[in-house]
Amino acid sequence: MALTLAGCSGEGALDPAQTGNGEDTIKLAEFPDRPYWGDTHLHTDNSIDAFGFGVRLGPEEALRFARGEAVTATTGGKAQLDRPLDFLVIADHSDGLGATRRLYDAPRWYVKWVIGDETVLRWYDMMHEGPEGSQRAMAELITAAANQTLPPALSDPERAREGTEDIWNTQLGLLDRYNEPGVFTAFAGFEWTLMPDGNNLHRVVMFRDGSDRTRQTLPIQGIDMSVEQLWDYMAGYEKKTGGKVLAIPHNSNVSNGLMFETTMADGSPMTAEYAARRAAAEPVVEVTQIKGDSETHPFLSPNDEMAGFGVKGWELGNLPLTATSTPDMYAGSYARSALLRGLSLEARLGVNPYAFGMIGSTDSHTGLATGDEDNFFGKHTGNEPAYKDRAMQPQNLGTRQGRFGWHYLAGGYAAAWARGNTRAEIFDAFKRREVYATTGPRMTVRIFGGFDFSDKDWSGDWVRAGYTRGVPMGGELIDKGSAPTFLISALKDPDGANLDRVQVIKGWIDASGAMQEQVYDVVWSDMDKRPRTARGLTPVGDTVDRKKATYTNSIGAPELRTTWTDPDYAKGQRAFYYVRVLEIPTPRWTLFDAVRFGFELTGDALKDAVAQERAYTSPIWLKPQGSKSQGKGTT
């Protein structure tokens, strides 16, 4: 009933709680009491590329779907989540917001004689040929954006301003209608699309505020800007409105090393001012999504047997494959190496530009925020389930070479530990980095760091102990001359697979100033039957039936917890620790497709059709005595 009223009422009839940031609207827990699940990176028909690829679902359908309603996908068929999400950021591209939709709806004579651009007219005709022509037009458009050759009709901010203002204000009204403190949170946001030479430096911009403040700004274009100009825009918004905003770097695996550089963009040494601005503006990064996984790469982490997840296809080059990647670029493209670089830069500058938490999201361009393997609706409408052979088809958005449908992951989700489901509470969890990423499953993962935790804490109120005697994920510990200890808890997704193991990934700067990393298996299922060997931990097993796309929970464990103390601590060490949780092997969406549609996966696609889904927590940082705090949660 609440949803029906919210969806049908006019904006003037809204409860004031819906239009604000949610403060003082619901009763809050004393401490963050559960993870709230959401997607911060969803595109609708207002995105220039999504509409061009064929999506016809708008912001309202996206909100209804995220709240658990059934909608009809663009290519037909019922689409519905098994479990609703708790929050959503509709992050349509600010560059050319709504441009392809307006172009498609315009009379041809207007495009020919008033716009008067032959390339735009050709794209217009291709879009009207049907889905295949539209997809070809968008492939060309993306390549043009990468090469900075977009026609002025699609790139001139002055031409776009009127359309942007109309779309933005309409969407803000929709967000308020579907926003319901305590039940579902609808955030204002957009995707800022800096892409020099096709290298993805996009950010999702996410607002804490209701429409009383967000109506005082408009999304800004990013294609010809610098990231410092984005931060200027954010600072200007906060000064003007008294509101709050943050940016989320995403999809770093296709940045060709530019997302996490050790220098300024012009190659000059990074300054402390730049580092501080970046850390403040960008407290979290998107580490996993449909276009692959950006935690680490086997080249960077050769001793990590689980490092190859979600890298196939995406390691080849930048987003449109206009430039190939080389191994020397990888360190600037993956989160673990960025965290290590942050420690090194902090030792030199006194501030860490890469002290970020980690989340997942979808980057779906279908209007459907689903990260479930058995409910994957594709990256864009050109590979929705209506295309039964989508797993084997070329899918690169620019050149159409090198990447195939099976390279796409089903998506990712963001989990935020918060005291309640409101804009203010969830945003603040992002800001203090008390968030984590999963590749889709909804595991409940928690870590606290301190110096006096013990196994006895598990028999009492261990969450209270964690907050009062230590720090949660995203927090900072100041070295006290003894090894830090961590309370680590992981629960399986109630509707998903059992857990294989829990690992701690430590990165640190050694006495010589070199960057080091280590993966520790700290607790796993059937510990008495699965010993460590010279080759590592004995595998958990594999129950997947490749012929039926099924598995059983006869292996693994529903819950894993431990108290772990760093065995390699050294006094004065600058370090970070994050937790990686692995499920038992389960079918990927490609195997579900093969069984459902009756075709065979071949070669590498078949080898990759079973995977171990995972979660990554935000780190806890260990800092030397005298270090300056960069965030909340320091002890």
Side-chain angles (χ1 to χ4, degrees), residues 481-547:
S482 60
T485 297
F486 301 88
L487 297 175
I488 302 169
S489 171
L491 300 173
K492 71 179 285 290
D493 182 331
D495 296 340
N498 277 346
L499 306 179
D500 166 17
R501 69 186 76 178
V502 175
Q503 300 173 310
V504 170
I505 286 81
K506 177 187 178 183
W508 73 97
I509 304 298
D510 67 19
S512 69
M515 295 179 287
Q516 305 288 348
E517 67 174 69
Q518 180 69 43
V519 179
Y520 302 88
D521 294 310
V522 297
V523 62
W524 56 94
S525 62
D526 296 318
M527 294 184 70
D528 56 334
K529 300 177 183 178
R530 297 174 58 199
R532 288 193 183 93
T533 68
R535 296 184 177 181
L537 183 62
T538 304
V540 67
D542 184 345
T543 67
V544 176
D545 184 332
R546 270 70 172 173
K547 299 295 184 182

Side-chain angles (χ1 to χ4, degrees), residues 114-128:
V114 179
I115 295 180
D117 186 289
E118 291 185 3
T119 299
V120 173
L121 180 62
R122 185 165 57 82
W123 289 345
Y124 174 92
D125 289 338
M126 292 167 71
M127 289 170 63
H128 282 268

Side-chain angles (χ1 to χ4, degrees), residues 274-292:
Y274 175 95
R277 291 193 75 193
R278 176 154 186 164
E282 301 179 356
V284 301
V285 303
E286 179 188 276
V287 74
T288 192
Q289 60 133 281
I290 286 175
K291 294 197 299 294

Side-chain angles (χ1 to χ4, degrees), residues 40 142 320 474 596:
T40 63
I142 290 170
R596 175 170 47 169

Side-chain angles (χ1 to χ4, degrees), residues 168-169 172 207 213-219 233 237 240:
W168 180 247
N169 286 316
L172 292 178
F207 295 88
R213 290 190 169 106
T214 52
R215 286 190 189 279
Q216 299 179 52
T217 192
L218 288 176
Y233 161 84
Y237 168 81
K240 177 181 179 180

Side-chain angles (χ1 to χ4, degrees), residues 269-560:
M270 187 179 291
T271 65
E273 178 187 13
Y274 175 95
R277 291 193 75 193
R278 176 154 186 164
E282 301 179 356
V284 301
V285 303
E286 179 188 276
V287 74
T288 192
Q289 60 133 281
I290 286 175
K291 294 197 299 294
D293 193 275
S294 302
E295 184 217 3
T296 192
H297 187 281
F299 177 84
L300 301 169
S301 304
N303 296 322
D304 181 355
E305 62 181 319
M306 300 295 178
F309 180 82
V311 303
K312 294 182 179 68
W314 307 107
E315 64 187 350
L316 299 174
N318 60 8
L319 179 60
L321 274 180
T322 55
T324 58
S325 293
T326 54
D328 60 294
M329 298 176 180
Y330 290 163
S333 295
Y334 290 88
R336 188 186 301 176
S337 294
L339 291 166
L340 283 165
R341 285 182 165 188
L343 297 181
S344 182
L345 288 164
E346 183 181 34
R348 177 166 62 87
L349 302 173
V351 60
N352 184 345
Y354 303 133
F356 52 72
M358 295 191 282
I359 62 163
S361 281
T362 66
D363 194 11
S364 167
H365 283 56
T366 64
L368 305 171
T370 171
D372 301 324
E373 298 288 347
D374 61 353
N375 195 29
F376 179 53
F377 270 83
K379 163 67 178 178
H380 53 83
T381 54
N383 70 328
E384 284 193 357
Y387 298 90
K388 297 179 181 181
D389 60 347
R390 58 182 177 158
M392 305 305 298
Q393 290 300 309
Q395 292 293 333
N396 188 65
L397 303 183
T399 64
R400 308 282 296 171
Q401 298 175 1
R403 293 178 181 136
F404 297 88
W406 65 271
H407 290 141
Y408 284 130
L409 302 183
Y413 280 141
W417 282 102
R419 297 182 300 164
N421 191 357
T422 67
R423 287 168 172 163
E425 288 297 315
I426 293 175
F427 181 98
D428 291 350
F430 275 64
K431 193 69 175 176
R432 66 177 181 267
R433 305 173 297 209
E434 198 173 353
V435 293
Y436 63 97
T438 84
T439 55
R442 303 190 193 187
M443 307 94 108
T444 299
V445 186
R446 206 155 208 180
I447 175 175
F448 293 100
F451 295 100
D452 65 351
F453 294 138
S454 71
D455 287 339
K456 294 180 181 179
D457 287 307
W458 295 114
S459 61
D461 189 346
W462 63 275
V463 172
R464 180 178 295 275
Y467 280 111
T468 57
R469 292 170 25 225
V471 297
M473 63 181 76
E476 299 171 351
L477 295 170
I478 301 300
D479 189 6
K480 294 185 177 180
S482 60
T485 297
F486 301 88
L487 297 175
I488 302 169
S489 171
L491 300 173
K492 71 179 285 290
D493 182 331
D495 296 340
N498 277 346
L499 306 179
D500 166 17
R501 69 186 76 178
V502 175
Q503 300 173 310
V504 170
I505 286 81
K506 177 187 178 183
W508 73 97
I509 304 298
D510 67 19
S512 69
M515 295 179 287
Q516 305 288 348
E517 67 174 69
Q518 180 69 43
V519 179
Y520 302 88
D521 294 310
V522 297
V523 62
W524 56 94
S525 62
D526 296 318
M527 294 184 70
D528 56 334
K529 300 177 183 178
R530 297 174 58 199
R532 288 193 183 93
T533 68
R535 296 184 177 181
L537 183 62
T538 304
V540 67
D542 184 345
T543 67
V544 176
D545 184 332
R546 270 70 172 173
K547 299 295 184 182
K548 298 179 180 179
T550 61
Y551 71 95
T552 67
N553 274 329
S554 57
I555 58 175
E559 178 180 10
L560 295 170

Side-chain angles (χ1 to χ4, degrees), residues 168 188 205-218 230-246 427:
W168 180 247
V205 177
M206 173 179 170
F207 295 88
R208 184 180 190 262
D209 312 301
S211 56
D212 58 331
R213 290 190 169 106
T214 52
R215 286 190 189 279
Q216 299 179 52
T217 192
L218 288 176
L230 172 64
W231 301 336
D232 288 342
Y233 161 84
M234 294 165 61
Y237 168 81
E238 292 185 342
K239 182 177 181 180
K240 177 181 179 180
T241 68
K244 294 182 180 180
V245 61
L246 58 81
F427 181 98

